[in-house]
Amino acid sequence: MKKAKWLMVVTVLLACAGAEQVWAGTIKINGSTTVLPIAQKVAEAYMKEFPEVSIAVSGGGSGNGIKALIDGTTDVANSSRFIKGKEVQAAVEKGRYPVPFAVAYDCIVPVVHPANPVKDLTLEQLKSIYMGKISNWKELGGVDKKIAVISRDTSSGTYEVWEEKVMDKERVFPGALLQASNGAVAQAVAKNENAIGYVGFGYLNEDLKGLTVNGVEGNAETTLSGKYPVSRALFMFTGGWPEGDVLNFINYVLNPMKGQKYVKEAGFVPLY
Amino acid sequence: MFADRQNKERIIRLIFLLAASISILILSLIVVFLFMEGLPIFREVSIRGFLFGREWYPTSDPPDFGIFPLLTASFAVTLLSAMVAIPLGVMTAVYLAEIASRRVRQIFKPVVELLAALPSVVIGFFGMVIVAPYLQRTFDLATGLNLFNASLMLAFMSVPTITSISEDAIYSVPAELKEASLALGATHWETIIRVILPASLSGVSTAVILGMSRAIGETMVVLMVAGGAAMIPTSIFDPVRPMPASIAAEMAEAPFRSEHYYALFATGMVLFLFTLVFNVIADYIAQKHKQVGAATL
């Protein structure tokens, strides 16, 4: 017994010494706050498995992440959109070739209270509701009640998808209620029979009724096949084809048994 | 030996001075930082456009930075909560100081003060989960997360402050005043209204203003229960978005040193000026109407 203890201590010491020696790897990750929870969860798991690598994750928005990648101040840029032509040009001028990796899908589902008889809305109807043009459930085949429109804070990634895929350059009307997180929207809709909101796919629960959009149900399958309209891919960009620790990390993220597991945990749709 | 003691005295004095200056230093650093991060927004919009603009779309392209709806929301919420909290708080204070027996007072006062110890997130949660559905059902509203709900919750938060400070002020009215009034044949009620309340006016006003400045700066409660619609309210059941709620909801994801970031700091500046004015008024009233002895009334 005593011997075993000693052995353990020695092993740990050796391991520490070993870690000291290969303490070369640091990976810097910057960018989208939407991808941030994925990056954080995966990075934590990765560092547990490979303690010799240290990963610094920060979120400053997709644009900032890509800018950091172009400037060479980050190894991986998280982005909730594809890289823009201008950005590619700027990168190439600096001799960098951004390589995209789709790491997850974001799927946003409109939700109502389970007691609401409405089941399906078209993109056009959703847009009119969020512009304040349709203000009564009666107009949508529901009961004669005013619609309580719940939206997200304008800087969230979820709002970004909604603005891009549903609002089509129109503004959400000022009378829309604002909640600061997916959880808060879910809570508010579950407590209000007249409410409509939208949450990330991972936040659906039995207190909410997810609506189909244009007749398509938002789930992992329809998101991956591209049928469901309110969804998008999330990316990690690397400068040039990744090598060494960065390559390892990207592989880890894409691994269905490892990184992709955390994608699901973070409330997003995994790739497989 | 003597000089030694003098030096010791001086050092101790210095230490205390240092301790006192630290909080002033920190405050001024925060203010400088706030203004440094807030002022750049006025390169993009005029001060007038910022304060009186009616559109708050900080992430649209092109963005609009008008905080007038947020400003009115903050005013409306504070005013309405004052209308609930002041009568409630002051009447409780009068009861505790003048009417209640010593025993009742000993139980009630700590309980009221305990209300102040309730974390604001708990009050917010209560408003969101219990009060909002109730309001919605009772008044048949689109949503229970609105101006009225937020004001009610804020009133809960400012009542302890108002009660506690007013009660101290009322209690410390010199006994001679009360005795003189009673000796002249005034009833207890007349004494309270005509003598005790006027004598403690400065303390009560300070209490009210401190309570209100707590309400105006409160963030969590309004973020959770005010609804968050950036529009000018037309009824007390409209959802609103007071300034602190807007800052808290958007700051986390506003890109560092972007226009949106500056605009949020500028909103913080406005909020700071608001509470500063409140506090200066409180101080002024406390100084001006200070009750010195029994002779000044």
Side-chain angles (χ1 to χ4, degrees), chain A residues 22-154:
Chain A
V22 269
W23 180 269
T26 54
I27 304 177
K28 269 182 276 176
I29 304 178
N30 193 351
S32 165
T33 47
T34 313
V35 191
L36 189 64
I38 300 177
Q40 257 165 355
K41 275 188 184 278
V42 178
E44 271 167 35
Y46 187 85
M47 283 192 282
K48 226 178 236 169
E49 217 166 300
F50 304 96
E52 70 275 12
V53 179
S54 87
I55 305 179
V57 186
S58 57
S62 304
N64 280 338
I66 290 174
K67 191 173 170 295
L69 189 77
I70 295 170
D71 296 339
T73 53
T74 190
D75 301 308
V76 177
N78 293 333
S79 177
S80 55
R81 58 170 170 79
F82 199 73
I83 192 164
K84 290 177 183 166
K86 258 191 224 160
E87 290 164 339
V88 176
Q89 204 181 339
V92 171
E93 272 166 20
K94 288 204 172 184
R96 280 174 221 286
Y97 299 91
V99 181
F101 294 91
V103 294
Y105 285 88
D106 200 359
C107 164
I108 309 298
V109 183
V111 288
V112 294
H113 194 271
N116 195 320
V118 175
K119 284 197 180 74
D120 175 69
L121 292 172
T122 62
L123 276 178
E124 199 53 43
Q125 283 171 325
L126 282 171
K127 186 175 155 189
S128 300
I129 293 173
Y130 275 85
M131 282 173 71
K133 277 200 212 149
I134 296 180
S135 59
N136 198 309
W137 283 110
K138 198 170 58 178
E139 298 168 62
L140 302 163
V143 287
D144 183 11
K145 290 272 185 193
K146 256 191 95 182
I147 303 176
V149 181
I150 300 177
S151 186
R152 282 291 307 278
D153 49 295
T154 45

Side-chain angles (χ1 to χ4, degrees), chain B:
Chain B
M1 187 66 197
F2 185 69
D4 207 39
R5 271 169 56 121
Q6 286 262 306
N7 272 336
K8 215 170 166 185
E9 192 79 355
R10 209 173 291 148
I11 288 168
I12 289 171
R13 218 180 282 170
L14 210 69
I15 289 173
F16 276 83
L17 176 70
L18 211 69
S21 354
I22 279 178
S23 61
I24 295 180
L25 186 75
I26 290 175
L27 177 72
S28 46
L29 280 179
I30 291 177
V31 171
V32 166
F33 176 73
L34 185 67
F35 278 73
M36 248 169 54
E37 300 292 53
L39 287 175
I41 190 62
F42 297 115
R43 283 197 299 246
E44 304 296 328
V45 287
S46 62
I47 294 183
R48 210 186 135 83
F50 183 71
L51 289 178
F52 296 106
R54 297 191 165 211
E55 304 263 302
W56 175 254
Y57 285 100
T59 55
S60 292
D61 194 22
D64 273 322
F65 299 106
I67 63 164
F68 194 62
L70 317 183
L71 213 70
T72 21
S74 275
F75 259 125
V77 164
T78 310
L79 196 72
L80 199 61
S81 82
M83 280 159 61
V84 179
I86 293 174
L88 207 60
V90 174
M91 285 195 296
T92 312
V94 169
Y95 173 74
L96 287 180
E98 282 300 315
I99 301 167
S101 66
R102 178 186 273 272
R103 261 187 78 140
V104 172
R105 185 183 136 100
Q106 271 171 354
I107 297 168
F108 266 52
K109 199 175 181 198
V111 171
V112 170
E113 278 165 1
L114 205 64
L115 198 61
L118 269 185
S120 56
V121 66
V122 172
I123 294 185
F125 198 67
F126 175 74
M128 196 172 177
V129 177
I130 313 273
V131 182
Y134 174 77
L135 283 178
Q136 192 192 349
R137 258 180 279 122
T138 317
F139 298 99
D140 193 28
L141 307 167
T143 174
L145 301 173
N146 54 32
L147 175 55
F148 182 67
N149 190 344
S151 307
L152 216 57
M153 295 303 120
L154 289 181
F156 283 162
M157 298 193 61
S158 36
V159 160
T161 313
I162 296 178
T163 302
S164 180
I165 301 176
S166 315
E167 200 260 358
D168 288 341
I170 295 170
Y171 196 71
S172 59
V173 170
E176 305 93 277
L177 282 180
K178 194 175 156 188
E179 282 158 9
S181 169
L182 291 172
L184 286 170
T187 61
H188 195 185
W189 166 246
E190 284 165 340
T191 308
I192 289 173
I193 287 294
R194 300 275 172 82
V195 177
I196 292 173
L197 272 184
S200 57
L201 192 66
S202 83
V204 173
S205 316
T206 313
V208 165
I209 290 167
L210 288 180
M212 288 305 96
S213 68
R214 174 156 191 209
I216 199 168
E218 171 53 37
T219 306
M220 205 59 212
V221 165
V222 291
L223 182 62
M224 290 171 86
V225 302
M231 61 174 187
I232 297 163
T234 51
S235 116
I236 60 167
F237 293 121
D238 273 349
V240 291
R241 186 192 312 178
M243 292 183 281
S246 198
I247 298 175
E250 295 168 33
M251 186 50 95
E253 305 198 44
F256 184 61
R257 300 248 156 100
S258 63
E259 285 168 25
H260 188 190
Y261 172 93
Y262 292 135
L264 289 176
F265 267 98
T267 313
M269 264 161 53
V270 174
L271 196 58
F272 170 71
L273 292 177
F274 253 54
T275 40
L276 186 70
V277 167
F278 266 88
N279 279 295
V280 167
I281 293 174
D283 205 47
Y284 177 75
I285 292 177
Q287 290 297 328
K288 191 171 178 191
H289 299 286
K290 206 171 206 172
Q291 179 67 28
V292 191
T296 54
L297 194 77

Side-chain angles (χ1 to χ4, degrees), chain A residues 194-217:
Chain A
N194 311 324
I196 184 167
Y198 52 87
V199 294
F201 169 72
Y203 287 86
L204 287 175
N205 61 36
E206 66 272 22
D207 294 331
L208 299 172
K209 186 164 106 177
L211 297 177
T212 55
V213 179
N214 292 345
V216 182
E217 189 191 332

